Amino acid sequence: MITQRVMYGSASYGKTAFFARGIQMDDNGNPIVVRTVEKYNADAKSWTMINGMHKARNYDETTNSWELIPDMLKDMTFITPSQSPPLIAVVDDNLYMLETSLNELRVYDINTNIWKKLGVVPVSANTTFGWGTAFKSMGDRLLVVGSSHSWHRKGIVYSSCPSPDVEEQH
């Protein structure tokens, strides 16, 4: 990475990965918010600094710019300020979110600006406010790693080939 950071947001599309915001330590050891966005090209094995963003936006690689998507997270439930940032992944040009307070898998409909509920995932992201839960794309699949709902809290890996056109998938 060009800018070292922790607790950053990340997303991948094909062989390109994006890393946004996060926390780094200043010279005195105090945490500061990183406002930059970087992309990594796996073919070229190179990092590029791209324009930062301050609101929910859509990135256009052809123009190297961000497009504002108003109220994109308006349906997101925030139970506590200590809740993790939204867990987002892209599969087959569709944007998916794990709504951690409800353990719900959702897909974004760009035409209606609505997150459509697809179903509940078998992880307990809600008990840790989303922290410690991984939500990533892997080819044509979504991968969720977290702990189970059961009382002994075993670690589980959940994989799914989602369909944005079907509601209430399991």
Side-chain angles (χ1 to χ4, degrees), residues 14-160:
K15 293 186 178 183
T16 303
F18 297 89
F19 301 86
R21 307 231 17 189
I23 305 289
Q24 71 177 179
M25 297 299 183
D26 68 12
D27 294 337
N28 297 320
N30 299 313
I32 56 173
V33 175
V34 177
R35 300 197 183 278
T36 59
V37 180
E38 300 171 23
K39 75 176 179 178
Y40 179 74
N41 181 310
D43 286 335
K45 295 182 176 46
S46 65
W47 289 93
T48 305
M49 188 75 68
I50 60 177
N51 294 328
M53 60 181 170
H54 300 286
K55 293 183 178 183
R57 296 172 188 256
N58 180 39
Y59 185 67
D60 184 342
E61 282 194 82
T62 58
T63 62
N64 198 31
S65 64
W66 294 99
E67 176 187 331
L68 180 62
I69 302 174
D71 299 322
M72 186 176 188
L73 297 176
K74 69 181 183 293
D75 298 325
M76 180 81 170
T77 305
F78 291 98
I79 294 175
T80 173
S82 59
Q83 186 172 345
S84 75
L87 302 179
I88 306 258
V90 176
V91 174
D92 293 330
D93 291 333
N94 289 295
L95 189 60
Y96 293 90
M97 173 176 61
L98 176 59
E99 215 289 22
T100 58
S101 66
L102 301 170
N103 295 322
E104 289 178 354
L105 176 62
R106 296 182 181 185
V107 64
Y108 183 70
D109 184 336
I110 195 166
N111 297 316
T112 61
N113 193 27
I114 292 175
W115 288 95
K116 182 171 69 171
K117 179 180 174 182
L118 296 179
V120 176
V121 295
V123 299
S124 295
N126 61 333
T127 61
T128 58
F129 305 109
W131 299 108
T133 302
F135 184 69
K136 299 290 178 189
S137 59
M138 225 171 65
D140 64 347
R141 302 185 73 77
L142 283 174
L143 183 68
V144 183
V145 180
S147 59
S148 66
H149 295 295
S150 65
W151 66 271
H152 53 279
R153 314 278 296 150
K154 288 187 177 181
I156 62 169
V157 176
Y158 173 73
S159 174
S160 172

